[in-house]
Amino acid sequence: MPDSPSPTVPSKQHERFSESVKFLPVAFVVLIVCGLYTIYICYHIWPLLNSEHKPGRAAEQCFVFNVLTFLLSTCHIRAMLTHPGTIPDKSEDSAWDFVPRDERRGLQASSDDMMMRTPTQEAKRSGDRRHCKWCAKYKPDRCHHCRICRTCVLKMDHHCPWIYNCVGFRNHKYFFLLVFYAAVDCHFITWTMLETAKSSTAGDTPFMTMFLVLFCWTLATLIGSVVTCFFSFHVWLMSKSMTTIEFCEKQTRKGYDERVYDRGMMGNVMAVLGDHRLLWFLPLSLPSGDGL
């Protein structure tokens, strides 16, 4: 499909953001990030900067940590605010509007034209094109309806409560980098703060200082370990050109061909991280195409 200048954003997006209770997981993530950042800066970086022997190392760690946290925060915001993409509305392309079987007479030419423009790999058991009964639209390949977001999502991976959004064609890269930088940031805290954590157990350390340092180090280690496993899983999915939904379908559906969307290793990576290799690890330059 040709490149599309802008994503199709449904008019119901403002309704999704009006459900304030669903912001609680997002608020929890922000709280964790702010807490770890504050403790790391106040109880690790600042004492090192005031040290006579290690101000240079503290400056280096402070710079790297702030860059990683900035990239993490940027990816989180963009993954949350970028719509993953949806099926065009009737005003944009009426060919995607679902027409019931008893109303198709006289519209066969239009249906055939759409089939020629957008050939699909996926179909219903009857052989008909897949359609969404809630959106009343034909579904392109890899498109699924999210009942939480109340819209069909292009190349849907899953709905993520931590970003209050679905992960799909237009924000998959932001989500992938979010997980990557979360893992790197937590590992950075774990290994650079190890010496500070050990010294905090000395008898002359104030209790609150010891508690906060050990809390930060333990939490970063735990989150880093879990997120690293999660990131490894998504790297494997990317290498296979699979989404989380397709991985789950593979486990339950006999005869599922996991190679149907495989473009080779480089093509699979570019389908997620974009065409420009130098920008793969920056929240810029999304993959080409429109996701249909």
Side-chain angles (χ1 to χ4, degrees):
M1 298 294 292
D3 288 347
S4 175
S6 62
T8 302
V9 180
S11 59
K12 292 184 179 180
Q13 188 174 10
H14 70 279
E15 296 178 8
R16 177 169 64 89
F17 286 117
S18 67
E19 300 176 80
S20 57
V21 68
K22 293 181 181 178
F23 273 107
L24 290 178
V26 177
F28 179 74
V29 170
V30 173
L31 181 64
I32 291 295
V33 172
C34 291
L36 292 178
Y37 180 88
T38 301
I39 296 173
Y40 185 83
I41 292 295
C42 295
Y43 291 91
H44 173 69
I45 294 297
W46 187 248
L48 284 182
L49 286 173
N50 292 327
S51 170
E52 296 181 359
H53 307 291
K54 303 176 182 178
R57 189 180 76 177
E60 293 172 359
Q61 291 181 3
C62 184
F63 174 77
V64 174
F65 180 65
N66 277 283
V67 170
L68 290 174
T69 305
F70 172 77
L71 290 170
L72 167 66
S73 301
T74 301
C75 291
H76 189 216
I77 292 171
R78 300 207 71 174
M80 181 172 63
L81 297 182
T82 302
H83 195 278
T86 191
I87 307 170
D89 290 329
K90 186 175 183 179
S91 59
E92 298 173 279
D93 190 348
S94 60
W96 289 101
D97 272 18
F98 171 66
V99 180
R101 185 181 295 273
D102 56 354
E103 298 178 16
R104 291 181 190 176
R105 188 170 299 176
L107 299 176
Q108 189 64 37
S110 175
S111 178
D112 290 346
D113 178 62
M114 185 185 72
M115 289 286 288
M116 293 179 64
R117 287 191 290 121
T118 56
T120 59
Q121 299 285 344
E122 302 172 10
K124 299 174 69 175
R125 292 183 179 179
S126 62
D128 291 342
R129 285 183 71 100
R130 298 187 311 138
H131 71 274
C132 177
K133 62 182 179 181
W134 290 284
C135 298
K137 295 178 182 179
Y138 289 107
K139 288 182 179 179
D141 286 340
R142 317 185 88 174
C143 178
H144 300 272
H145 184 89
C146 176
R147 298 189 183 186
I148 301 175
C149 295
R150 304 190 188 103
T151 188
C152 284
V153 176
L154 300 179
K155 195 186 175 184
M156 182 175 175
D157 189 89
H158 68 288
H159 180 87
C160 179
W162 307 111
I163 62 173
Y164 190 8
N165 201 0
C166 278
V167 177
F169 177 73
R170 294 195 178 276
N171 67 346
H172 194 174
K173 177 177 181 176
Y174 301 140
F175 173 79
F176 185 88
L177 292 182
L178 168 63
V179 178
F180 170 72
Y181 284 117
V184 173
D185 217 354
C186 286
H187 280 291
F188 187 82
I189 293 174
T190 297
W191 297 111
T192 59
M193 204 176 180
L194 181 59
E195 185 178 336
T196 301
K198 290 180 179 179
S199 63
S200 69
T201 59
D204 58 343
T205 304
F207 173 78
M208 186 54 65
T209 299
M210 179 183 67
F211 172 78
L212 290 175
V213 168
L214 293 180
F215 173 78
C216 176
W217 186 86
T218 303
L219 185 60
T221 302
L222 178 62
I223 295 176
S225 301
V226 173
V227 174
T228 298
C229 295
F230 187 64
F231 176 70
S232 300
F233 172 66
H234 276 274
V235 170
W236 180 80
L237 287 178
M238 179 175 66
S239 70
K240 298 290 186 180
S241 190
M242 294 175 63
T243 63
T244 301
I245 289 178
E246 289 163 358
F247 172 78
C248 294
E249 289 179 344
K250 174 190 172 186
Q251 307 303 313
T252 57
R253 185 193 303 176
K254 293 183 179 180
Y256 180 80
D257 185 4
E258 65 179 37
R259 299 168 297 176
V260 64
Y261 301 115
D262 192 357
R263 306 179 185 178
M265 180 60 73
M266 187 60 64
N268 294 341
V269 173
M270 292 172 67
V272 174
L273 300 182
D275 301 332
H276 303 288
R277 302 181 190 182
L278 295 178
L279 302 178
W280 275 358
F281 291 97
L282 293 176
L284 304 166
S285 183
L286 297 179
S288 58
D290 56 12
L292 296 173

